[in-house]
Amino acid sequence: MIYFHIPFCKQKCSYCNFHFSTSLKMKEEMLLSMKKELKLRQNFLNDKILKTLYFGGGTPSILTVDEIHSLIDEVLRYFDFDENIEITIEANPDDLDKNYLKQLSHTPINRLSIGIQSFFDTDLKLMNRAHNASEAEYAVKCAQDFEFENISIDLIYGSPASDMTQWKKNLQKTLELGIPHISSYAFTVEPKTAVHQWIKTKKILPPEENVQNEQFYYMSELLRANGFLHYEISNFALEGYHSKHNSGYWAYLPYLGIGPSAHSYDGTLRRMWNVANNSLYIKHLSEDKLPSEQELLSEKDRYNEMIMIGLRTMWGVSLSRLKADFSREIWDYFDQEIQQKLASGILVVDNGFLKIPEAHWFMADGIASDLFLV
């Protein structure tokens, strides 16, 4: 698994705290630096046959198709592609015109993740998105016209600019468009964002947890009734359309992250992360230095991650793996902590896996944190 973080966007969304720049001045230097990092780190992954390649960001579709293709060609200098490789690019609707999609259809990219967020302009204006509602719908239809079948869209629920009626229409539009994968997230207030400042100054109301809770469960029931599998708290897929790349993260597979702020994991103990600064990233690589730090995960870290990640998915946490991978002390602590939650039905054991019933998924992070070692 390889992930490219493309750290550029046209404009800053009001809710976003990811690492990116709205200036494209260093784009050429950045792409050269990413290729250099890939060369320097080509041996980080032992398996040279890639099953997934993912372009995230930022906004990868801000790159030209030739630039994207050149990154793919660079990967092929050091790795081979599995015959069923999934290659995803995140894209904004305003970038996906006919010309762009036509060019993209001639690349190995076979999955689009489109940042729709909403099919309503009131939501999109609040979020300061670069596209409008009509562009959102057009992008999906145009992608389908160019035979992109494996399409995922992002949707945000619980926005202060929305209500239940509008949310239902968003979901209905998604079903009408025949989109096979949906990633949906609650509208959140992150520090140092425009939304945080607007709420602080009472320009807008904060999101209401009870409203988000209602919208989450409505979405879950509606999509399940329409054939979707709710395979992770924020992800729904028709059969055969789950994200192989994200599922690899949840299965603790090794992955290599290229680009500023990108993370990597060797599948056992070592985690690395790149500096979240475009200039410093480029400077380090110009000096043949890796722009990264690393840590060796402690037993406590690995346990907490396994609990957090596993309980967010339909697969849950393997009890046999937990018992085999961790000390008797940790197992005894875990076994003691889950008893009350098992008795109350907040947790269940199903065929040797600890799971949170879907009725309690909205509170999954809190339930998992109760089991953490501190």
Side-chain angles (χ1 to χ4, degrees), residues 10 61 91-97 114 129-132 135-136 139:
K10 286 181 182 177
S61 58
N92 276 354
D94 46 300
D95 294 325
L96 298 180
D97 59 25
I114 307 176
R129 296 291 292 170
H131 67 279
N132 59 38
E135 287 174 319

Side-chain angles (χ1 to χ4, degrees), residues 189-190 192-203:
V189 183
E190 302 291 346
K192 300 180 181 179
T193 60
V195 164
H196 182 262
Q197 183 62 25
W198 293 342
I199 291 173
K200 188 177 178 181
T201 57
K202 299 184 178 180
K203 183 178 178 180

Side-chain angles (χ1 to χ4, degrees), residues 33 36-37 40-41 274-275 280-292:
S33 297
K36 191 165 191 177
E37 184 190 2
L40 292 174
R41 302 184 66 194
N274 287 341
V275 61
L280 283 177
Y281 174 84
I282 291 169
K283 181 177 184 297
H284 275 78
L285 284 159
S286 71
E287 300 168 354
D288 291 328
K289 298 176 183 175
L290 288 177
S292 59

Side-chain angles (χ1 to χ4, degrees), residues 158-185:
S159 157
S162 185
D163 58 20
M164 191 63 172
T165 300
Q166 191 161 300
W167 179 236
K168 288 180 178 180
K169 290 179 179 178
N170 257 320
L171 293 170
Q172 193 57 46
K173 174 63 70 176
T174 301
L175 293 173
E176 289 171 3
L177 288 170
I179 296 162
H181 189 282
I182 298 158
S183 296
S184 190
Y185 308 94

Side-chain angles (χ1 to χ4, degrees), residues 12-16 125-128 187 193-196 198:
K12 185 175 178 65
C13 296
S14 61
Y15 57 88
C16 181
K125 287 176 182 176
L126 173 68
M127 298 175 196
N128 197 38
F187 187 91
T193 60
V195 164
H196 182 262
W198 293 342

Side-chain angles (χ1 to χ4, degrees), residues 24 121 127-128 156 159 178 210 218 238 246 255 288 353 360:
L24 297 180
D121 286 329
M127 298 175 196
N128 197 38
I156 291 179
S159 157
N210 64 318
Y218 176 83
L238 294 177
N246 288 338
Y255 55 87
D288 291 328
F353 287 80
H360 301 294

